[in-house]
Every structure is written in structure tokens, then in C-alpha cells.
Amino acid sequence: MAGSAPDGGRPSPGGGRPLIITEDPLLLDDLLRLCAAAGADPHVHHTVPEPGGAAAADGEAGSAGWESAPLVLVGDDAARRVRGAPRRTGVFLVGRDLDDPLVWQRAVEIGAEEVLRLPDSESRLVDRLADVVEGAGRPALAVGVIGGSGGAGASTLACALAVRAARAGERTILIDGDPLGGGMDVLLGGESAEGLRWPDFAASRGRVGAGALEESLPELHDLRVLSWDRGDRVVVPPAAVRSVVAAARRRGGVVVVDLPRRVDEAVAEVLAQLDLVLMVVPGELRSVAAAGRVAAGVRMVARDVRVVVRGRCPGGLDPESVAGLLGAPLAGEVPVEVGLPGRVAEGEPPGAQGRGSLARFCDGFWQRALGSAQGVPA
């Protein structure tokens, strides 16, 4: 029973095909169905394939091998037959008997990372298979931007960060997390651009394909943007939000999210996946007081919150004092950029001018955050 699943032996785009080892026809049917759901095209064997076997004869040397397959699914019926195989990562013992007390012993004997019992673990297995298909590597650096008070300029900073990351050659997705913010596509001058918006993902369930997500979004100024449309819908289920943000992160590069000031269940799903949240606060006392309330809600979910001070009011607080009052590290200061509103109104996105103060802040931020040794081109 050696060979591959249907579809002409087309290899998975992620750089390798998973290996299934089982003689149980019912279990094999389940595994092939789950592979199809993940878009994976597996090799199937009844025991550990010999080097230079059928796969090599077909010009696919090593692609069906125990050591070279990106993922190995060992049926519970085949555990005894693979007991002597070399230890490696990415081996899963799969079975359908939920009451078998010896399954963990067999998993240890073959060096399995995990025991997956069907049907309970189907979603977990589909996720791992989809990672293989997508060639999942290092996830994107995900940065959220939130205003500490109204009119703080958080959306402007989020847009500029995304523009500068894209100019630096990073794969970049800008996500509009504020349904009442007017639309990040508008800020980028692309409200009429073709592509999906948030309401199109409202019915999403389970895993969203990372590549499919990226290709479906409008491309503006060398980055992809997920914004809201001009319709009446302002709510997307938290589960759909979680799936979409997770898919954006799996593509690698940079993800920037413009966040609303109120933390509801959907926003909490976003915050939980962010590496860093930048809270934009004008340097005056009333704004700092408002930011304190915003920060309290964000810190309940986010693991790293830092302060960006925007401009200085006459007689206002210096950046260090603002950060000290909020009890958060200072990420930097963004001076008010003269003429920016007019340029945005004419269709030039924030951060487009490489010599402006906003672009300089963003370039410096990405150099530190991404560990880049070279500057970002203007």
C-alpha cells in the first residue's frame, strides 16, 4: 500500500509532502479527508519507506522518506512497525480509540511529539497539515497602535508604520481594527480598490489560509490592507477575527493593527496575538489621564505596551514624564509634522515622505524592532 493520494502526485507548496503510515482503511480515509481539507497531498505507506524506494523511482528522492517528510502521521495500528525508525521531530501518533490505556507508551516508543485522537483532534491536525502546505516559518512581527485619547493620531502612526515597513521590503499587512474609524483604505487613498474587507470575513470559521488572505486584500503602496467597507456592519465575530489575524501572522514579515480605544471581545482576540502595542499619547495632562484608563484595559490582554508621545504642548509634559505617569516604557516621541493633513487629503499616505519626522520615527522603530543593520530607503 505504498504510493500517494490522488491529484497526480502534486507536491505541496510548502516544500514537502506529509507521510502517512497506516494499514487501517478507516483511519486512512479520515487522514486523507483531513489532508484534503488542509490542501496537503500526502504519501501513504504501510511501514517506514525504504530509501530509494517508489518515491525515488518517480523522481522524488527523499520526499516520502521518514527523515525528510515535513510531517509524519503514524496510525496507531502501525506504531509497532515503526518502532526502530530514527528519532525525529514532527511525528504524530494518530488513532480513533479514545479509551486505549497503552497509547502513550506506544507514542514514547516511536518518539511521537503528540497523540492525536480522532475526531476530537481533527482541527489540531488540519492546522499542522496546513502549516506544511503554507511552509509556515517565522511568524510576522505584529504591532498594534492605539490612541490613549481621542485625536491622538494612532491611525496616522499605524498607517505610517505600515508604509515604511513596506518601503523597507518587508511583506506587510495593515489591519484596520476600528470599525468606526473611517477606514484605513481611505487614509491610503484606496477606498475604491478591489479586494475583500472585514464584513467579507464575518462568516469565517476555523483556519483561514494565509496565502489566500494576502491575495484577497487590496494592495496599496506595496502593502496589503484589511479595512472596513462603507456598509452598516461594524461587528465581526471574535472567532473570525482571531482566524484572520492568525493567518496574517503566518505569512511572516510585518503586521500592523490600528486598534480602537475600547477593548471588547474581538479586540481582545487581536491583542492576544500582538507582540507589541504602541499607545499614542499627546504630551498634556488630560490626555495622560485618559490614556491611563485605556492602558488598564489593554494590559489585561496585551503582553507588551509602550508609550509614543505625540508632539509637545506649551507647558505640557515631557515624554519621560508621560511614560512615567502611565507606568510603561517610552518607545519614542513623534513631533507634529507640518503639512501632513494637507498631503493626506491630496492622496499621499502618512510616512510616504522619507525625510519627514513621522517617517524618521517609523524607520528607527523598525530598525530596532526587526534588528536591521541598514536604514530604510526613503
Side-chain angles (χ1 to χ4, degrees):
M1 190 169 145
S4 65
D7 197 22
R10 176 177 47 84
S12 301
R17 298 164 64 182
L19 173 63
I20 296 175
I21 301 178
T22 184
E23 283 187 311
D24 182 338
L26 295 179
L27 179 59
L28 179 59
D29 284 346
D30 284 338
L31 293 178
L32 291 178
R33 171 176 57 83
L34 297 175
C35 284
D41 176 26
H43 285 283
V44 179
H45 286 260
H46 70 274
T47 187
V48 177
E50 294 291 336
D58 291 335
E60 295 180 315
S63 58
W66 171 269
E67 296 185 22
S68 59
L71 193 72
V72 179
L73 305 178
V74 179
D76 193 41
D77 65 293
R80 178 174 48 83
R81 296 193 298 277
V82 304
R83 194 178 297 165
R87 295 300 173 105
R88 51 153 293 170
T89 60
V91 175
F92 294 83
L93 182 63
V94 187
R96 291 184 288 110
D97 185 354
L98 302 180
D99 300 317
D100 183 356
L102 300 179
V103 64
W104 301 106
Q105 178 182 333
R106 291 193 290 275
V108 171
E109 289 174 348
I110 67 172
E113 285 186 14
E114 198 172 333
V115 174
L116 301 175
R117 304 194 189 199
L118 305 182
D120 292 358
S121 298
E122 285 193 357
S123 61
R124 165 72 174 155
L125 181 51
V126 170
D127 280 349
R128 291 305 300 263
L129 288 165
D131 283 342
V132 170
V133 172
E134 294 175 358
R138 183 176 179 179
L141 176 63
V143 178
V145 185
I146 190 168
S149 62
S155 296
T156 298
L157 178 58
C159 186
L161 283 168
V163 168
R164 298 311 298 171
R167 294 280 178 94
E170 294 289 338
R171 171 185 274 133
T172 305
I173 296 181
L174 174 61
I175 297 177
D176 187 353
D178 187 357
L180 303 179
M184 293 298 286
D185 54 353
V186 176
L187 195 55
L188 286 162
E191 59 269 25
S192 61
E194 293 185 1
L196 301 185
R197 266 67 173 181
W198 265 121
D200 297 308
F201 294 96
S204 296
R205 297 291 184 272
R207 184 183 178 107
V208 175
L213 171 69
E214 184 179 35
E215 292 301 318
S216 72
L217 299 179
E219 184 174 8
L220 302 167
H221 302 281
D222 300 319
L223 60 92
R224 299 283 180 167
V225 58
L226 174 55
S227 187
W228 292 86
D229 61 12
R230 260 44 71 186
D232 296 331
R233 182 162 196 151
V234 295
V235 176
V236 172
V241 173
R242 178 174 62 249
S243 296
V244 168
V245 175
R249 291 205 68 197
R250 287 198 302 274
R251 288 299 281 171
V254 165
V255 173
V256 180
V257 186
D258 180 40
L259 296 163
R261 293 170 58 210
R262 181 174 178 177
V263 180
D264 58 16
E265 190 176 353
V267 174
E269 291 287 359
V270 179
L271 288 171
Q273 298 192 59
L274 297 179
D275 299 297
L276 172 66
V277 176
L278 299 176
M279 187 165 57
V280 185
V281 186
E284 52 96 15
L285 191 57
R286 187 181 178 198
S287 296
V288 174
R293 292 189 289 272
V294 175
V298 172
R299 285 192 180 112
M300 293 178 66
V301 186
R303 48 182 175 262
D304 191 350
V305 181
R306 305 184 192 185
V307 173
V308 175
V309 177
R310 180 173 176 267
R312 295 197 189 192
C313 300
L317 301 168
D318 61 75
E320 290 76 15
S321 297
V322 172
L325 288 170
L326 293 171
L330 178 65
E333 179 183 7
V334 180
V336 175
E337 189 169 316
V338 178
L340 178 61
R343 294 197 299 272
V344 170
E346 294 174 357
E348 178 184 292
Q353 289 205 359
R355 292 183 295 276
S357 59
L358 184 59
R360 288 196 299 271
F361 171 86
C362 295
D363 291 351
F365 172 81
W366 289 126
Q367 287 177 30
R368 296 188 300 272
L370 298 171
S372 175
Q374 297 181 350
V376 180

